[in-house]
C-alpha cells in the first residue's frame, strides 16, 4: 500500500455532506493517510476547523480565494491573521490570482493576495496558491516579498515557468487533469518537472476526471493521480508516492 497525502481537497464541500466519513475511510484503506483542506472564504473557516476536530487525518489551511472576491471584506484579513495565530492551521490558503475570470477586479485581487503573502511570511506558514493564467503575476508577488514557501496548486503553466518557480523552491500540485489523454501540454510539463517538486492532489469534489464528467471527485481518486503521474515519469508508483509524501510533509512541517 502506498502512503499518499492529498495536498488539496475541499472536504468541507456540501457535496460531501452525505457520505464524507465513508469516503474518508475508503481513501484511508487505499493508502491516503492525510488530507489538507484549504478554506476559501471566511464563511468556511468554521467548517474546516470542525473537520480537523472530527478527523485525525485532516489538516486545514485558512485563506481568502480570489473566486469569492465579492464576499471578502477588508476586515476579513484581520480576522484571518487572528485565526492563523490562534488556530492549528498549517498554511495560508487557498489564495492567489485568477486572470481567467473577467469579472474579478485585478487590483482588488492583488490587494487580498499580497496581504496574505505578507501574513504567511510573518507567521512562517506555507502558502496554498490558486494560479490561473497568472503564474508570472503570482511569482512577481512572491519575488517582491522574497517568500517561496508555497505550492501552486493544479499547476498549468509552461515548462519554462515551472523551471523558474521550482528553482526558488515553489512546489507544483498536480491532480486529475493529468489523467486526460488529450492534455498534451500538461503531460510535457509532468515529464519535465523533477519529482522532488511535485505534490499530489484531487481538488475534490472539483475538477472531474475526463472520463467521469459531471461526477464529483472522491478522496480515493488520489491513487489514480499517483498511478498516472508515475506512469508518465516511468517511475514505480511506490517511489512517486514516497517522494511526493515527503515533499508534502516538508512543505507543511511546522
Ligand atoms: Zn481548491
Amino acid at each position: 500500500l502506498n502512503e499518499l497525502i492529498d495536498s488539496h481537497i475541499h472536504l468541507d464541500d456540501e457535496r460531501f455532506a452525505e457520505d464524507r466519513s465513508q469516503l474518508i475511510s475508503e481513501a484511508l484503506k487505499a493508502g491516503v493517510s492525510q488530507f489538507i483542506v484549504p478554506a476559501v472564504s471566511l464563511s468556511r473557516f468554521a467548517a474546516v476547523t470542525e473537520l480537523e476536530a472530527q478527523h485525525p487525518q485532516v489538516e486545514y489551511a485558512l485563506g481568502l480565494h480570489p473566486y469569492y472576491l465579492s464576499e471578502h471584506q477588508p476586515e476579513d484579513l484581520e480576522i484571518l491573521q487572528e485565526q492563523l495565530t490562534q488556530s492549528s492551521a498549517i498554511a495560508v490558503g487557498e489564495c492567489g490570482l485568477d486572470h481567467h475570470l473577467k469579472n474579478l477586479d485585478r487590483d482588488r485581487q492583488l490587494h487580498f493576495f499580497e496581504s496574505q503573502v505578507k501574513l504567511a511570511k510573518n507567521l512562517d506558514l506555507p502558502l496554498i496558491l490558486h494560479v490561473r493564467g497568472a503564474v508570472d503575476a503570482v511569482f512577481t508577488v512572491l519575488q517582491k516579498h522574497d517568500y517561496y514557501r508555497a505550492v501552486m496548486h493544479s499547476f498549468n503553466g509552461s515548462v519554462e515557468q515551472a523551471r523558474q518557480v521550482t528553482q526558488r523552491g515553489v512546489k507544483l500540485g498536480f491532480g486529475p487533469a493529468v489523467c486526460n489523454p488529450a492534455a498534451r501540454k500538461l503531460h510535457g510539463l509532468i515529464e519535465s518537472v523533477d519529482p522532488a517538486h511535485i505534490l499530489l492532489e484531487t481538488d475534490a469534489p472539483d475538477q472531474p476526471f475526463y472520463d467521469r464528467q459531471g461526477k464529483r471527485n472522491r478522496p480515493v481518486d488520489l491513487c489514480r493521480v499517483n498511478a498516472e503521474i508515475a506512469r508518465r515519469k516511468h517511475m514505480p508508483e511506490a517511489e512517486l508516492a514516497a517522494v511526493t509524501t515527503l515533499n508534502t510533509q516538508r512543505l507543511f512541517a511546522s
Side-chain angles (χ1 to χ4, degrees), residues 46-59:
V48 299
T49 309
E50 200 177 312
L51 266 187
E52 188 230 30
Q54 288 166 352
H55 302 277
Q57 305 83 6
V58 167
E59 300 287 350

Side-chain angles (χ1 to χ4, degrees), residues 8-10 38 40 65 94 128 130 153 201 203-204 206-207:
H8 198 109
I9 177 165
H10 297 285
V40 292
H65 190 299
E94 175 168 4
I128 297 175
H130 171 94
H153 116 82
E201 61 174 71
D203 201 18
D206 299 321
Q207 296 203 48

